[in-house]
Amino acid sequence: MLKIISIINQKGGVGKTTTAINLAASLGILEKKTLLIDFDPQANASTGLNNFGIESDLTIYDAMIGNEKMKDIISRTNIEYLDFIKSDTNLVGCEVELVSISNREKQLLQLINRIKKKYDYILIDCPPSLGLLTLNALTASTDVLIPIQSEFFALEGLKSLQETIKIVKENINNKLNILGLLITMHTKRLRLSKKVEGLLKTNFKNKLFDTKINRNVRLAEAPDDGMPAIMYDVNCSGAKDYMDLALEIVNGKK
């Protein structure tokens, strides 16, 4: 059954886009037909995949404002089972343009509904904010994945994000589910990392992924070469961690 997963955390620097790119690539390697949508005006996912066989100059903004059909903005990538939709800074203006539209929170949902039969997984790299774009993503999604950095302020902002998810679920999208919280930038030897993990387990119990994404230089280098870590260095620990995450999701542990 199709999963549409919003990858979201309004706190920046938690590995949100890194997770979107590398989870999507890992699902594609597992031969799950996957679409990654860069829905962040910062367009970091688009930059991080700029050397990965993506040919289209069209973006999600073009479809959101009605200039292009959703099927026409989808790009192939260098992974057979992975497709991609780019973003750019024009998406900033989309929030203003959507305000006067009826069902403004359902614009992305309507676009995804036109192409979703082609895919097993659709991942949405959300903006680091809780505005109208994020509301569109949550309305279109079946699940939410929340990357959490393994540091003292990990829980900062999580309460407001949970409240937003709860409001969307109660009022717009009753199918929305928190798929899991993913610990990123983890350092096994640090006592603080263990403390943060303990806090998350206490507060979120079965919602914490077994997989943790450990700090890894090759994982950080891969976006500079415009490709996922698994294509940059298949043997690096970052690539292996994200493959473990993909397997955890595919095997239904979350």
Side-chain angles (χ1 to χ4, degrees):
M1 191 172 80
L2 169 68
K3 279 187 179 292
I4 304 172
I5 304 172
S6 276
I7 300 171
I8 180 173
N9 192 327
Q10 76 271 31
K11 187 176 185 297
V14 298
K16 175 183 64 69
T17 298
T18 298
T19 296
I21 289 173
N22 289 287
L23 175 57
S26 298
L27 289 168
I29 293 290
L30 291 172
E31 298 188 356
K32 301 297 179 183
K33 190 61 178 170
T34 302
L35 171 66
L36 172 59
I37 301 173
D38 187 351
F39 205 55
D40 185 347
Q42 296 178 67
N44 289 332
S46 300
T47 302
L49 291 175
N50 66 2
N51 190 28
F52 205 55
I54 296 161
E55 296 180 354
S56 177
D57 290 326
L58 300 174
T59 72
I60 188 63
Y61 174 77
D62 296 310
M64 288 289 287
I65 63 170
N67 283 353
E68 299 288 343
K69 293 180 180 179
M70 191 69 162
K71 65 181 179 65
D72 294 330
I73 66 169
I74 297 172
S75 292
R76 303 293 298 273
T77 73
N78 288 344
I79 295 176
E80 181 182 356
Y81 287 84
L82 176 61
D83 290 343
F84 182 61
I85 294 177
K86 293 171 67 173
S87 178
D88 63 17
T89 54
N90 287 326
L91 197 58
V92 171
C94 198
E95 296 215 37
V96 177
E97 294 173 54
L98 287 174
V99 168
S100 60
I101 298 175
S102 61
N103 292 321
R104 56 186 177 270
E105 75 282 357
K106 296 182 178 178
Q107 298 306 300
L108 182 61
L109 171 65
Q110 291 169 6
L111 293 173
I112 287 176
N113 281 342
R114 294 168 191 164
I115 51 89
K116 67 182 184 181
K117 290 181 180 178
K118 293 173 57 180
Y119 297 101
D120 301 307
Y121 292 92
I122 297 175
L123 306 187
I124 305 171
D125 185 23
C126 296
S129 65
L130 298 178
L132 191 50
L133 290 177
T134 297
L135 180 58
N136 263 264
L138 294 176
T139 301
S141 296
T142 59
D143 295 272
V144 179
L145 190 158
I146 306 171
I148 299 282
Q149 189 173 349
S150 187
E151 62 166 29
F152 185 73
F153 295 109
L155 302 179
E156 189 178 281
L158 202 52
K159 188 173 181 181
S160 59
L161 176 55
Q162 284 181 288
E163 188 60 33
T164 299
I165 292 168
K166 181 182 177 184
I167 290 168
V168 172
K169 184 167 185 173
E170 289 177 351
N171 295 281
I172 305 172
N173 178 9
N174 61 12
K175 296 178 181 177
L176 190 62
N177 168 62
I178 295 180
L179 184 66
L181 281 75
L182 174 70
I183 294 177
T184 61
M185 304 179 192
H186 185 64
T187 305
K188 296 175 184 177
R189 293 184 297 276
L190 287 183
R191 209 165 78 186
L192 178 59
S193 294
K194 294 177 182 177
K195 186 175 181 180
V196 170
E197 184 178 354
L199 281 170
L200 291 170
K201 282 181 177 176
T202 300
N203 286 282
F204 297 98
K205 297 174 183 172
N206 64 334
K207 288 297 182 183
L208 190 63
F209 281 104
D210 293 336
T211 302
K212 293 182 280 291
I213 310 301
N214 295 288
R215 288 188 181 274
N216 175 237
V217 172
R218 303 295 274 172
L219 182 64
E221 289 174 348
D224 286 339
D225 263 32
M227 64 183 69
I230 201 165
M231 305 300 284
Y232 181 70
D233 182 354
V234 69
N235 294 313
C236 74
S237 63
K240 292 175 180 177
D241 288 343
Y242 277 109
M243 182 56 73
D244 287 344
L245 176 64
L247 288 167
E248 192 171 344
I249 292 170
V250 168
N251 292 332
K253 291 184 179 180
K254 284 285 181 290

